[in-house]
Amino acid sequence: MFGTVVVGVGIAGLARIRDLMHPMPSSPSEHLKLFGFVSRRSFGNINEAKQISLEDALTSKEVHAVFISTENRSHEETIRMFLEAGKHVLVEYPMALSAKAAHELWEMAEQKDKVLHVEHIELLTEEYKELKKEVAGKDLVKGTLHFTGSVLDENKAGFPAFSGIARLTWLIDLFGDLTVTSATRVMQKDKNYSRMTVHFETTNK
């Protein structure tokens, strides 16, 4: 069995704990054993999963891999700690708040001979796979992708583009590399409203 630990117990972290505690039959998760979870808040146990200290997660020989499900700004530091400790890492997107940091982390994982995987579960859904089949072999002439969500705390989530990075990875996966041609942002603090509009071009314009 491959010992794992979950860091962060928000929506994503709780889903990880649930799936590790009750894996789907014949799924790879059946080979993973949840050693515990790490959180800044005190919980004790969650669904029979025990809370452990960060130090125990980093030093235990029973822990081989970590699932990082914390706020965006802490991803980089947490990845570094676990790679230094010789653990494999799965992190919810984005891996870091800058491309420079992301490249450094990839290099670090390679030097440590560890897996560093950025998870974007939407790309594995049946709906997305159908969408990818639908656009295969077609030329994109023009398109619009619109999505909404709650206003995020920029200190934790990073600049607004990071809250939309999942959709950006959709577009790159579907249509190849993109170039930003323009970007604007509208903010209405009195209404707690923010909108970011970005225009991209594909490699064939």
Side-chain angles (χ1 to χ4, degrees):
M1 295 290 282
F2 210 66
T4 62
V5 67
V6 174
V7 177
V9 289
I11 295 171
L14 289 172
R16 294 283 180 200
I17 291 171
R18 178 201 65 209
D19 293 345
L20 289 165
M21 295 292 289
H22 306 285
M24 295 275 289
S26 302
S27 72
S29 295
E30 284 194 315
H31 302 287
L32 302 176
K33 179 182 179 184
L34 181 62
F35 183 76
F37 68 89
V38 176
S39 176
R40 291 187 299 265
R41 294 171 288 170
S42 180
F43 287 96
N45 288 359
I46 296 178
N47 298 333
E48 299 174 19
K50 64 179 180 177
Q51 184 166 5
I52 62 173
S53 68
L54 177 62
E55 185 178 354
D56 284 347
L58 289 166
T59 58
S60 173
K61 292 183 179 177
E62 293 183 63
V63 175
H64 307 100
V66 60
F67 292 85
I68 299 173
S69 304
T70 56
E71 67 273 4
N72 296 345
R73 72 172 178 181
S74 68
H75 287 182
E76 179 186 346
E77 181 186 1
T78 311
I79 291 169
R80 286 186 192 280
M81 285 191 293
F82 279 92
L83 286 177
E84 284 287 0
K87 316 293 185 187
H88 300 290
V89 175
L90 179 147
V91 62
E92 306 289 344
Y93 62 80
M95 178 166 44
L97 297 186
S98 76
K100 180 176 180 287
H103 286 293
E104 288 173 2
L105 293 170
W106 286 124
E107 288 171 12
M108 186 177 179
E110 198 168 307
Q111 289 165 4
K112 297 281 186 182
D113 196 28
K114 296 299 171 187
V115 173
L116 172 53
H117 172 71
V118 183
E119 183 74 292
H120 184 359
I121 199 72
E122 291 175 356
L123 299 184
L124 303 176
T125 63
E126 290 306 315
E127 293 87 346
Y128 182 79
K129 289 175 185 175
E130 285 302 313
L131 176 62
K132 193 163 183 179
K133 282 182 194 171
E134 196 175 315
V135 303
K138 296 178 182 175
D139 288 327
L140 175 66
V141 178
K142 189 176 182 181
T144 301
L145 178 62
H146 178 106
F147 65 98
T148 60
S150 58
V151 178
L152 298 176
D153 180 346
E154 289 187 32
N155 290 326
K156 294 180 179 178
F159 189 68
F162 282 97
S163 63
I165 205 164
R167 305 318 187 274
L168 179 57
T169 56
W170 277 28
L171 295 176
I172 292 172
D173 189 55
L174 292 170
F175 304 112
D177 287 344
L178 302 171
T179 301
V180 177
T181 58
S182 68
T184 56
R185 184 182 183 192
V186 174
M187 290 185 69
Q188 296 175 2
K189 287 191 176 179
D190 56 324
K191 296 180 180 176
N192 202 26
Y193 174 83
S194 175
R195 182 180 75 239
M196 190 168 191
T197 305
V198 185
H199 295 270
F200 300 103
E201 267 189 0
T202 58
T203 53
N204 63 359
K205 306 296 181 184

